């Protein structure tokens, strides 16, 4: 019995207002329109960005909304004009896209697609601005073009990575956001050479993915910097060799790291969003060849201040978005790295809950427990 072309009624976790627990509702999911695909979500995981927009303190409060953007599923049906995906394909929906036609997509250096780059305020589909979700005829807003906290969702084809059908979706779903962001920041942007030292600021899921990138690259020393010492034990599994808690010192942490390393680290990756950590990450790299990469998202009024002589002394400051991966072109190969055991993912997944208990995932993240909580949709 094909559901293609029909409205699908299914369960979704709806955020009705900021900071209130999600509510499991029956929603109607319209068929995909031009350049869209409808996906049956099998596994989704909670990322800090979902919590940030659910809480909506520093954001435009846009409700009711179906959050979620880290997920894996199977294509149920495709809209007009979709040629590279078909029903049954295994896919990862991704919060940013790749139209394959704009100057960014045609550039080998960029993944910041003009059409589909992340837009946190967009609440409908690009094609017609409308939502594909409704309850009793009233629209429910989309989130990041993915809205994966639903048994079915509709996504623009440019935001869908087709992956190896043998890859376990309950593991590789975490590559659709956080793990790729951190891992790619190290391997694609910082690019440490074998035997070099790397400092990682912030040992949450993204920071540990950056550490995993350093481990895979053959770094000899990986220094983890975090204000929470309880994170240090877990970080050893990700190759972190040294730990620094800035609270233990009465001088700036960059000075501590420069002393520890006899002149500074070769590479640093900042995964906190704290402006002070960003400055420390830059100032702790070695002159002549050091590279610092910023990953964390700052507050809107932040300003980066450093003495220009740091740049004249041949330290490099870079930024990255989604680990510099193009979603459709590059993410399938990252999944293959996992399949070939070149990259470990299982250690990032510390909890799993059924869809009916999705609010438990929020509670765990708000309590700072674990790394990734995977939500099983089949219950």
């Amino acid at each position: 019995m094909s559901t293609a072309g029909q409205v699908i009624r299914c369960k979704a976790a709806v955020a009705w207002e900021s900071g209130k627990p999600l509510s499991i509702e029956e929603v109607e999911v319209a068929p995909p329109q031009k350049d869209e695909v409808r996906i049956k979500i099998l596994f989704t995981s909670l990322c800090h960005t979902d919590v940030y927009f659910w809480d909506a303190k520093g954001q435009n409060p846009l409700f009711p909304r179906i959050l979620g953007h880290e997920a894996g599923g199977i294509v149920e049906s495709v809209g007009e004009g979709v040629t590279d995906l078909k029903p049954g394909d295994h896919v990862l929906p991704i919060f940013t896209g790749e139209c394959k036609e704009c100057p960014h997509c045609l550039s080998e250096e960029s993944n910041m697609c003009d059409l589909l780059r992340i837009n946190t305020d967009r609440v409908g589909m690009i094609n017609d601005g409308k939502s594909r979700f409704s309850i009793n005829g009233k629209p429910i807003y989309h989130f990041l073009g993915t809205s994966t906290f639903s048994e079915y969702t509709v996504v623009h084809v440019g935001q869908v990575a087709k992956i190896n059908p043998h890859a376990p979706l309950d593991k590789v779903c975490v590559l659709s956001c956080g793990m790729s962001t951190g891992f790619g920041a190290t391997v694609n942007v910082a690019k440490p050479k074998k035997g070099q030292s790397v400092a990682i600021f912030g040992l949450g899921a993204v920071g540990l993915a950056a550490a995993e990138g350093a481990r895979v690259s053959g770094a000899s020393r990986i220094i983890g910097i975090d204000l929470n010492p309880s994170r240090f034990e877990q970080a050893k599994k990700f190759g972190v060799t040294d730990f620094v808690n800035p609270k233990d010192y009465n001088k700036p942490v960059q000075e501590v790291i420069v002393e520890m390393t006899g002149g500074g680290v070769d590479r640093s990756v900042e995964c906190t969003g704290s402006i002070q950590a960003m400055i420390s990450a830059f100032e702790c790299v070695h002159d002549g060849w050091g590279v610092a990469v910023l990953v964390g998202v700052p507050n809107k009024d932040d300003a980066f201040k450093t003495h220009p002589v740091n740049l004249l002394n041949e330290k490099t400051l870079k930024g990255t978005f989604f680990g510099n991966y193009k979603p459709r072109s590059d993410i399938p190969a990252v999944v293959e790295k996992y399949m070939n055991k070149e990259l470990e993912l299982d250690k990032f997944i510390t909890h799993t809950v059924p869809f009916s208990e999705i609010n438990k995932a929020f509670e765990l993240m708000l309590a700072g427990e674990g790394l990734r909580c995977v939500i099983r949709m089949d219950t």
Side-chain angles (χ1 to χ4, degrees):
M1 156 76 190
S2 170
T3 44
Q6 315 285 318
V7 169
I8 290 180
R9 284 185 175 73
C10 69
K11 289 195 178 74
V14 178
W16 289 101
E17 51 185 305
S18 69
K20 292 276 158 56
L22 305 188
S23 163
I24 306 277
E25 308 279 356
E26 182 172 277
V27 298
E28 287 159 7
V29 185
Q33 304 297 310
K34 187 178 187 306
D35 296 331
E36 296 170 5
V37 294
R38 189 161 54 183
I39 301 168
K40 179 180 171 66
I41 298 293
L42 298 183
F43 298 94
T44 185
S45 50
L46 184 65
C47 166
H48 201 262
T49 307
D50 297 305
V51 176
Y52 195 61
F53 284 88
W54 163 77
D55 208 25
K57 284 200 172 73
Q59 302 304 323
N60 218 347
L62 297 163
F63 299 98
R65 203 169 200 185
I66 297 172
L67 297 167
H69 64 283
E70 225 179 58
I74 296 176
V75 174
E76 172 269 338
S77 62
V78 303
E80 179 200 329
V82 175
T83 54
D84 49 357
L85 289 169
K86 60 185 187 307
D89 283 345
H90 286 223
V91 294
L92 302 181
I94 295 177
F95 66 93
T96 185
E98 180 185 355
C99 72
K100 298 197 170 178
E101 291 168 3
C102 71
H104 284 274
C105 287
L106 295 174
S107 153
E108 285 178 14
E109 297 178 61
S110 175
N111 65 341
M112 304 203 50
C113 175
D114 282 328
L115 182 69
L116 296 165
R117 76 171 68 170
I118 186 171
N119 179 338
T120 57
D121 288 337
R122 190 163 57 228
V123 294
M125 297 302 286
I126 281 183
N127 185 19
D128 57 6
K130 294 190 174 124
S131 175
R132 302 287 174 261
F133 298 109
S134 60
I135 296 181
N136 301 328
K138 290 199 173 68
I140 307 292
Y141 292 148
H142 289 252
F143 176 62
L144 301 183
T146 52
S147 292
T148 60
F149 294 166
S150 175
E151 293 175 323
Y152 287 87
T153 187
V154 176
V155 181
H156 190 285
V157 67
Q159 287 183 242
V160 181
K162 178 183 171 178
I163 62 161
N164 183 337
H166 301 294
L169 288 169
D170 60 328
K171 303 291 193 291
V172 298
C173 62
V174 299
L175 286 173
S176 65
C177 174
M179 306 312 90
S180 294
T181 295
F183 188 78
T186 304
V187 300
N188 294 336
V189 188
K191 295 182 179 165
K193 298 181 173 78
K194 196 170 179 358
Q196 285 191 322
S197 58
V198 182
I200 308 286
F201 286 76
L203 299 175
V206 174
L208 291 175
E212 177 74 1
R215 182 187 73 77
V216 166
S217 302
S220 60
R221 193 172 184 190
I222 303 173
I223 303 170
I225 300 98
D226 203 291
L227 296 166
N228 179 356
S230 69
R231 288 178 152 177
F232 293 165
E233 196 50 47
Q234 175 169 251
K236 288 178 185 168
K237 285 187 213 158
F238 298 82
V240 180
T241 55
D242 302 67
F243 298 95
V244 175
N245 183 343
K247 286 191 223 168
D248 295 344
Y249 301 89
N250 54 9
K251 58 182 168 191
V253 73
Q254 53 268 44
E255 291 177 21
V256 175
I257 294 167
V258 167
E259 280 172 26
M260 275 173 75
T261 53
V265 287
D266 301 306
R267 303 287 185 263
S268 70
V269 186
E270 187 286 321
C271 304
T272 70
S274 144
I275 192 70
Q276 197 45 60
M278 294 180 193
I279 295 165
S280 299
F282 177 53
E283 294 185 352
C284 80
V285 299
H286 205 290
D287 56 4
W289 62 78
V291 178
V293 178
L294 306 186
V295 179
V297 179
N299 290 327
K300 61 178 190 299
D301 300 328
D302 284 339
F304 187 97
K305 291 196 176 92
T306 191
H307 200 286
V309 79
N310 285 315
L311 291 154
L312 301 178
N313 286 342
E314 299 173 9
K315 297 182 178 191
T316 300
L317 179 64
K318 290 182 161 189
T320 175
F321 167 66
F322 191 49
N324 277 35
Y325 288 116
K326 292 180 187 268
R328 296 158 86 181
S329 303
D330 297 336
I331 293 303
V334 184
V335 171
E336 292 310 309
K337 272 191 193 298
Y338 170 73
M339 297 299 279
N340 298 335
K341 302 196 166 29
E342 294 166 45
L343 154 67
E344 294 173 18
L345 290 177
D346 304 43
K347 60 192 176 185
F348 287 98
I349 299 162
T350 49
H351 299 83
T352 54
V353 296
F355 189 38
S356 56
E357 294 173 31
I358 188 168
N359 287 303
K360 177 100 192 290
F362 279 75
E363 288 160 22
L364 288 165
M365 185 163 279
L366 290 167
E369 283 181 45
L371 294 173
R372 277 296 185 262
C373 178
V374 169
I375 299 147
R376 300 190 310 275
M377 303 302 286
D378 57 5
T379 48

